[in-house]
């Protein structure tokens, strides 16, 4: 499963990627707004928005891309490792139920 994380803390970027690896997911993490963010997001299976640490412009851009590509979006006000674990557990259960 491919995941894009929007927002979060820069210092936790590697931790986010490590957590995703535990769930056998490949992750892209964008903690800051990039000029070509829209093009870098791609077409992931899941998009996670850490709303407390992402700018409004970043969230708007990410949501627009998610809608365009029909991507599932999970929002979390907390950008902690625990919040990411919970989101990935739910996504794992969703995937298991779909199969």
């Amino acid at each position: 499963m491919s995941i894009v994380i929007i927002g979060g803390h820069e210092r936790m970027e590697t931790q986010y990627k490590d957590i995703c690896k535990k769930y056998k997911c490949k992750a892209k993490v964008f903690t800051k707004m990039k000029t070509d963010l829209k093009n870098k997001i791609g077409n992931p299976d899941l998009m996670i928005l850490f709303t407390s640490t992402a700018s409004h412009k970043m969230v708007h851009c990410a949501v627009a891309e998610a809608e365009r590509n029909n991507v599932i979006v999970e929002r979390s006000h907390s950008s902690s490792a625990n919040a990411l674990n919970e989101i990935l557990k739910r996504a794992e259960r969703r995937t298991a139920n779909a199969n």
Side-chain angles (χ1 to χ4, degrees), residues 29-78:
V29 180
F30 300 100
T31 55
K32 290 185 175 178
M33 181 68 179
K34 307 250 192 254
T35 51
D36 58 346
L37 177 65
K38 175 176 141 174
N39 299 325
K40 290 186 177 184
I41 289 174
N43 193 7
D45 299 311
L46 174 67
M47 183 180 293
I48 300 171
L49 298 176
F50 290 137
T51 56
S52 65
T53 52
S55 70
H56 181 77
K57 185 177 179 182
M58 219 172 150
V59 170
H60 181 71
C61 175
V63 169
E65 278 303 296
E67 286 174 358
R68 196 170 70 77
N69 293 317
N70 201 26
V71 175
I72 297 169
V73 178
E74 286 275 347
R75 294 173 187 252
S76 174
H77 188 68
S78 170

Side-chain angles (χ1 to χ4, degrees), residues 1-43:
M1 182 187 304
S2 62
I3 294 175
V4 170
I5 299 173
I6 304 292
H9 299 283
E10 278 184 78
R11 67 179 179 273
M12 293 202 37
E13 200 167 322
T14 25
Q15 194 174 351
Y16 295 148
K17 288 180 181 180
D18 290 342
I19 291 168
C20 289
K21 279 181 191 171
K22 288 180 192 172
Y23 289 90
K24 297 178 179 84
C25 299
K26 187 177 178 194
K28 289 183 187 177
V29 180
F30 300 100
T31 55
K32 290 185 175 178
M33 181 68 179
K34 307 250 192 254
T35 51
D36 58 346
L37 177 65
K38 175 176 141 174
N39 299 325
K40 290 186 177 184
I41 289 174
N43 193 7

